[in-house]
Amino acid sequence: MKQNTKVNTICKLQNIAVTVGFTDNFKKQFQDDYAITVTNGEAGVKVFEKEQLGKTFFFKVPEKKNSVQLTVKATTTANTQIAQNYTVTKPADAEGNSNLVSGDEFTVNIDAGNEPSVDPTTQIELNISVDLTMNETGLTIEIPTENIVFNGDGGSTPDPDVPDPDDPGKDQITVTGLGETYNLPLSEGQKVLVNISAPKGITKLLVKIDSDNEEFMATLGGFGLAEEFDIANPGKLFDVLSNSLESGNGIGLIDPDDPIKGKTSYLFDVTDFMVLLNLYAPSTNTFTLTVEDGVSEPVSGTLTVVASNLE
């Protein structure tokens, strides 16, 4: 055990925190299409993809729960796909309280295993270690291996893209289309779409565009879009976001006659925006979207668009 000095923020005090990382050994044996789904046992679901590794995400403290669940989806270098589910249970003697409490922080580290004995379906084992830092004492402990239980192929962790109608979290935000990479120019008929479901109504739809092309970033800056912006609450950016690219006065990301705020479903179509990116090749561009409904855990993810020079 080791003693850590911690400074708690209000956010930490009201939530549990989860950080996910992989060892170099895992990265050598698996392709980089991995995705880790973490749930707090209620409506809080977060998908960690390559871009989110090492980042910390916060979940509402579930009532009378003592564990979090995680599903590891990955593809080996030999093209074997896995979807392994684990339950990580807080030790019963931790701080005298075995239930999850505000300020608990889980740091998950995933390694490739050496013994093909855990998963009878794929014969692929993962070694998962978890450190738990407890809020009241600031003490960090390694959760015993017997508290990290393999539940099988896929297990019971809910897939945020396929809500379970019998689950209390059925009204959570779900998003499909994030995590994709598109190469420009698009093939004929190809669309760039993100499908959002928010049964409680969208309150914010935050967009952050980044690029390694300085000219493109300067163009965004000229429109006032170099920083994160909210297309559900465009405010003074309404004209820029709604005017068409052809007009030269905007980027056409929203329909001026179809407000996003309050919608329970929304198809975010950025296909036409790819025309602008084609002008700034070569470049690698990311669109980070965060959807909020004011109640559920926000859901975020990234689209990547690679624009190449045509020879």
Side-chain angles (χ1 to χ4, degrees):
M1 293 186 180
K2 53 187 177 182
Q3 188 78 29
N4 285 0
T5 300
K6 295 177 54 188
V7 177
N8 289 312
T9 65
I10 293 176
C11 184
K12 288 184 179 180
L13 289 173
Q14 295 175 344
N15 297 272
I16 59 173
V18 178
T19 308
V20 176
F22 290 111
T23 66
D24 290 339
N25 186 40
F26 179 96
K27 295 175 183 178
K28 290 178 182 178
Q29 297 189 40
F30 288 84
Q31 300 177 32
D32 63 0
D33 62 349
Y34 40 75
I36 314 304
T37 302
V38 179
T39 177
N40 65 352
E42 292 185 343
V45 178
K46 174 64 189 176
V47 179
F48 292 80
E49 296 175 323
K50 183 178 179 181
E51 295 79 8
Q52 287 84 39
L53 294 182
K55 295 183 179 179
T56 300
F57 289 90
F58 298 93
F59 296 81
K60 180 181 177 182
V61 180
E63 185 176 357
K64 296 181 180 179
K65 299 285 186 179
N66 65 351
S67 63
V68 295
Q69 286 189 310
L70 59 95
T71 295
V72 183
K73 294 184 179 181
T75 307
T76 69
T77 53
N79 290 320
T80 299
Q81 294 184 339
I82 66 169
Q84 298 185 3
N85 176 264
Y86 297 82
T87 298
V88 180
T89 303
K90 183 177 178 179
D93 59 352
E95 290 186 315
N97 188 343
S98 61
N99 287 332
L100 300 175
V101 297
S102 299
D104 283 348
E105 298 182 30
F106 292 87
T107 302
V108 180
N109 199 40
I110 301 173
D111 192 5
N114 297 316
E115 299 294 333
S117 58
V118 171
D119 186 350
T121 303
T122 62
Q123 292 292 292
I124 294 173
E125 180 186 13
L126 299 177
N127 287 336
I128 296 180
S129 61
V130 182
D131 285 344
L132 170 63
T133 301
M134 294 168 287
N135 174 58
E136 292 184 7
T137 63
L139 189 69
T140 297
I141 63 172
E142 183 174 350
I143 292 181
T145 55
E146 59 265 27
N147 285 47
I148 305 173
V149 178
F150 174 68
N151 299 320
D153 187 8
S156 58
T157 298
D159 186 338
D161 290 339
V162 186
D164 181 357
D166 298 322
D167 190 277
K170 64 183 179 181
D171 289 335
Q172 68 191 21
I173 300 167
T174 59
V175 182
T176 57
L178 294 176
E180 301 290 337
T181 298
Y182 294 88
N183 293 294
L184 301 184
L186 298 174
S187 58
E188 185 176 355
Q190 187 178 12
K191 299 285 188 179
V192 182
L193 305 171
V194 177
N195 195 5
I196 300 167
S197 173
K200 297 174 183 176
I202 297 171
T203 58
K204 292 183 179 181
L205 180 45
L206 305 173
V207 180
K208 178 70 171 71
I209 305 175
D210 289 298
S211 177
D212 60 3
N213 186 296
E214 294 182 359
E215 292 184 12
F216 177 55
M217 290 304 298
T219 298
L220 288 178
F223 282 124
L225 302 174
E227 302 298 329
E228 185 178 64
F229 52 92
D230 184 358
I231 63 174
N233 303 278
K236 64 182 181 181
L237 294 175
F238 179 83
D239 289 342
V240 168
L241 293 172
S242 61
N243 287 334
S244 67
L245 285 168
E246 291 80 4
S247 71
N249 296 317
I251 61 172
L253 278 185
I254 64 174
D255 183 340
D257 300 317
D258 189 19
I260 298 170
K261 189 172 184 177
K263 283 183 174 292
T264 56
S265 62
Y266 180 65
L267 185 64
F268 186 39
D269 186 345
V270 291
T271 306
D272 291 343
F273 191 76
M274 300 302 104
V275 176
L276 178 62
L277 288 180
N278 271 323
L279 301 177
Y280 295 94
S283 63
T284 299
N285 313 276
T286 59
F287 294 74
T288 301
L289 274 63
T290 302
V291 185
E292 299 183 14
D293 65 5
V295 180
S296 310
E297 294 285 338
V299 173
S300 61
T302 302
L303 285 176
T304 301
V305 180
V306 179
S308 302
N309 276 330
L310 295 178
E311 298 295 336

